[in-house]
Amino acid sequence: MDHEECRLKVGELLMGKILVGHALKNDLSALMISHPRSEIRDTARYKPFMRATGRSGGKLRPRKLRDLVYENVGMRIQVEGEAHCSIDDARASMELFKYARSRWEKELEKGNKGIKRGKK
């Protein structure tokens, strides 16, 4: 399958779906596709999973998936000396999302209140 065919197929598969992963900007960029922000759950960009940096701690930076998954769900991935597995990373991202899903979705819902939506 060539790159263009892959892009189209992935775009079709993702249409209307919530996309869960870690640092998804990189994956979407590699495929040269976009996805609605409201349908993305990126564990690298979820504020409770980020670390504060800077003088006053006001700047948030993404943390490593390996560390987040171990601290929150007790799962070990990307172990030194072992091959890096993208499937393990995907599963770990999903487990991390499931761990935070209820709070995450409530925060999104709260953030969307008061936003006017167009009629369908």
Side-chain angles (χ1 to χ4, degrees):
M1 175 182 304
D2 68 10
H3 189 262
E4 184 61 22
E5 190 177 350
C6 179
R7 279 177 14 84
L8 294 172
K9 188 69 171 172
V10 171
E12 287 174 21
L13 288 170
L14 294 179
M15 198 173 299
K17 306 231 176 32
I18 300 295
L19 178 59
V20 175
H22 189 81
L24 289 168
K25 180 179 178 182
N26 300 326
D27 300 311
L28 293 171
S29 178
L31 287 167
M32 294 185 288
I33 61 174
S34 62
H35 198 65
R37 183 181 266 177
S38 63
E39 295 179 2
I40 292 176
R41 304 297 182 270
D42 190 335
T43 56
R45 306 300 308 162
Y46 181 50
K47 288 181 182 179
F49 290 156
M50 298 176 83
R51 64 182 159 89
T53 61
R55 288 186 187 149
S56 61
K59 185 157 183 143
L60 294 175
R61 297 269 185 209
R63 295 182 58 213
K64 292 179 181 180
L65 177 61
R66 178 191 66 215
D67 298 338
L68 287 171
V69 170
Y70 182 69
E71 289 171 20
N72 291 284
V73 294
M75 193 174 176
R76 288 196 182 275
I77 60 166
Q78 302 173 4
V79 177
E80 195 171 327
E82 292 182 11
H84 184 166
C85 178
S86 58
I87 295 170
D88 288 344
D89 288 357
R91 287 182 178 139
S93 295
M94 181 58 78
E95 289 303 315
L96 191 56
F97 170 69
K98 288 178 355 186
Y99 166 79
R101 182 180 186 175
S102 178
R103 182 172 62 162
W104 197 330
E105 296 300 329
K106 284 178 186 171
E107 289 172 15
L108 288 173
E109 195 175 295
K110 197 184 310 178
N112 289 332
K113 286 192 176 172
I115 296 174
K116 291 187 176 183
R117 302 199 185 270
K119 293 181 182 178
K120 290 187 176 182

